[in-house]
Amino acid sequence: MPGGRLTQSERQQIAVGLADSLPYAEIARRLDRPTSTITREVMRNGGPTGYRADLAHRATQQRTHRRRQAAPRGPEATPQLNGRDAEVVREYEETLTTVFMQSGLSNKMMARVLACLYTTDSGSLTASELVQRLQVSPASISKAITFLESQSLVRRERDERRRERYVVDDDLWYQSMIRSARSNDEFVEAARQGVGILGPGTPAAARLENAARFLDFVGESLIRAAEQAREVLYTATEATSAGTAKPSSDHGETAVPTAPA
C-alpha cells in the first residue's frame, strides 16, 4: 500500500468523508492515497453505511497479529515463488476482492475465492487448498464455487490424482461476456410480447419497445466485440523493460478456439 498502512487518524477522516457523502475518489485525494486503498478499506470494514474508524483500526491490528502468528519464522519459512512478498500479495488479493465485489459479486466469500484463484500461477486450486489459504470452512468454499461456476467464472476439472480442481482460465472471460450479453434476452422477448398486449403506439408499449431495442442492440454489440477480441486472450505476452506486458512477436498468429455450442 503506497505510503504504508492507513493510520487511525486517516481512518477517522475516511469516516468523516463518508458521513459527508463524499465519493471514494475525493476522500482518497484528500488523504493522498489511491482510490483503491479507500475502497478496499471501506468495503472490508462494514461498507459506506457501517464503517467505523475505531472498529476498522482494531480489525486491521487483529488481522496483522493473526498473520504474524500464522507465518512460519526462521529457517523453516516457506520461500515465496518468484521472490514475491507474501504480505504484499495478500494486500493485492484484498484489492482484487474489492474490485470483484464492485463489479457485481456482492458476496465477499465468492469474490475472495475468485481473487485467490487469479493470484495463483497455476490458475487452479483444490477445495482443501482454498480452505487452507482463506482459512474458512469447506462449506463456504463449496457454496462460493457453486455460484461462480453457475456464472461461468470458474470451471471444474480432475487432475492426475483424480482430485477436483477449480480453475480460472482465459476462455472463462469470453464465456462470461457472452453469458452477460445474453442475460437480457428474456426481458427483450417479454417486452416485445407486452407491445402487442398493451397496444402498439401507446406510451407503455413504446417504453417497452425502446427498452427491448436498446438491450438487443447492446447485447449483439457485446457479442460481436467479444468474438473479435477473443484472440487477445490467447496471445502470448512478454514483459517490457517498464514491467508492463506486450503481445509477443515471436509466437505468430494464435488460433482461436471454436466457441462451445
Side-chain angles (χ1 to χ4, degrees):
M1 191 184 301
R5 295 186 178 278
L6 289 167
T7 65
Q8 189 163 15
S9 174
E10 287 177 315
R11 289 190 166 96
Q12 290 170 346
Q13 293 181 63
I14 290 173
V16 170
L18 292 172
D20 291 339
S21 300
L22 295 179
Y24 294 152
E26 176 58 22
I27 296 174
R29 187 189 66 77
R30 294 185 180 191
L31 294 178
D32 194 24
R33 293 276 191 171
T35 302
S36 61
T37 297
I38 306 305
T39 303
R40 182 174 66 248
E41 168 69 14
V42 175
M43 293 295 288
R44 70 181 177 186
N45 289 292
T49 59
Y51 185 83
R52 299 292 183 273
D54 54 341
L55 296 179
H57 194 69
R58 191 179 311 141
T60 299
Q61 290 177 321
Q62 291 172 344
R63 282 194 297 268
T64 301
H65 180 67
R66 287 196 299 269
R67 287 171 181 170
R68 286 173 179 169
Q69 285 185 320
R73 300 178 182 278
E76 296 181 357
T78 302
Q80 295 301 306
L81 185 63
N82 295 329
R84 295 170 182 143
D85 184 306
E87 185 66 18
V88 172
V89 172
R90 277 192 291 265
E91 291 287 349
Y92 175 69
E93 284 183 3
E94 292 179 359
T95 298
L96 197 55
T97 295
T98 300
V99 170
F100 283 142
M101 291 176 70
Q102 289 181 313
S103 300
L105 282 177
S106 56
N107 183 288
K108 186 173 183 180
M109 180 52 61
M110 296 168 187
R112 289 186 69 200
V113 168
L114 197 59
C116 190
L117 287 168
Y118 266 99
T119 51
T120 61
D121 285 324
S122 65
S124 72
L125 291 167
T126 64
S128 61
E129 288 170 340
L130 282 166
V131 166
Q132 183 177 8
R133 287 171 65 104
L134 298 177
Q135 295 295 294
V136 296
S137 69
S140 297
I141 297 298
S142 177
K143 183 178 180 180
I145 288 294
T146 298
F147 176 82
L148 292 171
E149 190 177 28
S150 73
Q151 300 299 304
S152 301
L153 295 173
V154 167
R155 64 179 174 82
R156 301 173 190 243
E157 66 177 26
R158 297 278 182 179
D159 63 17
E160 66 281 357
R161 296 169 57 186
R162 304 302 299 166
R163 297 177 304 176
E164 192 170 70
R165 303 189 70 86
Y166 308 123
V167 183
V168 291
D169 60 18
D170 293 333
D171 200 56
L172 286 170
W173 282 106
Y174 169 80
Q175 299 297 340
S176 180
M177 180 63 71
I178 296 298
R179 186 182 187 282
S180 177
R182 290 302 187 195
S183 63
N184 290 312
D185 283 358
E186 289 186 12
F187 174 80
V188 170
E189 183 179 351
R192 286 179 169 151
Q193 289 175 354
V195 172
I197 294 172
L198 298 172
T202 64
R207 187 181 305 115
L208 286 170
E209 176 60 27
N210 289 341
R213 287 192 295 110
F214 172 79
L215 292 174
D216 199 28
F217 178 84
V218 170
E220 291 302 319
S221 298
L222 282 173
I223 291 173
R224 284 196 299 272
E227 294 287 356
Q228 292 169 1
R230 194 178 188 188
E231 185 175 349
V232 173
L233 294 171
Y234 303 96
T235 302
T237 58
E238 58 185 14
T240 66
S241 58
T244 58
K246 67 177 182 179
S248 177
S249 57
D250 24 330
H251 294 284
E253 293 295 325
T254 304
V256 181
T258 303

